[in-house]
Amino acid sequence: MEPNFGHDHVFLPATHADRVDALRVLVNALPGRQAFDMQLLLGAYEVALEGCSRWGLAQAIREILQGSLPHGFLPSPPELRREVNRVMGPHEAARRREAEAERLYRWPEDDQRRALPAPKGDPEAVAKWRVRRAAQKAEAAAKSAGAPVDQALFADREERTNRTAADAVSDFMARQDRRHDALRSESGTEAGNDDG
């Protein structure tokens, strides 16, 4: 059975009936290493397979029957669980990557409620909507005002917001010219000291 990556099909939990069917297939297909009590064996497999997925269990059984284990005997409960974990490993890693990407690229605004469109017809509902919308606008205006600016760090903030691209380029060129002049004068001073 191939995984369906568009859904959580791969991660659907296995039911008790799924686990019993898997054990029944293994017991009938592979020789046991020793005599066993079926009830005890079933209980041990139940514990080992807690929380595993239906697809992972089916795929692990398929791979065991195709020779994924280094022996041809009935796998012990821990061996079967290791096989299920091995099969599910890439899918769980992909799920973790998706969750991490969603967490990293999520904006705080994504979780906030959006402004509702104005209701039509009911004047009381329209009035309530206007009150809510005014509160949202006030909150947005307060947020955009932001924290007070530290004048020691951003003394020229107002000037910087009003300048054009041409002003920014000319400021940059002037700074570069001053830097080059300073470097030339330093190298000239050092050369003069070396001559003396």
Side-chain angles (χ1 to χ4, degrees), residues 37-88:
D37 179 346
M38 192 62 180
Q39 289 300 321
L40 286 175
L41 187 66
L42 182 58
Y45 276 97
E46 280 290 322
V47 170
L49 298 175
E50 273 179 8
C52 75
S53 80
R54 176 184 289 175
W55 183 86
L57 180 59
Q59 190 64 25
I61 298 294
R62 180 188 189 107
E63 291 187 16
I64 288 169
L65 293 176
Q66 291 175 348
S68 68
L69 292 178
H71 57 78
F73 297 102
L74 178 69
S76 66
E79 281 180 312
L80 180 56
R81 183 55 188 243
R82 278 194 297 272
E83 283 297 299
V84 171
N85 291 346
R86 183 184 61 77
V87 166
M88 290 300 295

Side-chain angles (χ1 to χ4, degrees), residues 174-186:
R175 279 197 308 274
Q176 292 300 317
D177 289 341
R178 286 194 302 272
R179 185 174 295 141
H180 289 296
D181 290 344
L183 289 173
R184 273 192 224 117
S185 67
E186 283 178 19

Side-chain angles (χ1 to χ4, degrees), residues 121-181:
D122 183 10
E124 196 171 308
V126 171
K128 285 181 184 176
W129 175 83
R130 285 194 176 127
V131 168
R132 276 200 317 266
R133 187 70 184 119
Q136 286 176 342
K137 283 183 178 178
E139 184 181 329
K143 249 189 198 174
S144 67
V149 176
D150 185 352
Q151 291 301 322
L153 294 176
F154 302 104
D156 60 344
R157 179 178 183 217
E158 292 300 320
E159 296 168 17
R160 292 169 70 95
T161 55
N162 294 330
R163 68 182 184 165
T164 64
D167 294 337
V169 170
S170 66
D171 286 350
F172 175 75
M173 296 300 289
R175 279 197 308 274
Q176 292 300 317
D177 289 341
R178 286 194 302 272
R179 185 174 295 141
H180 289 296
D181 290 344

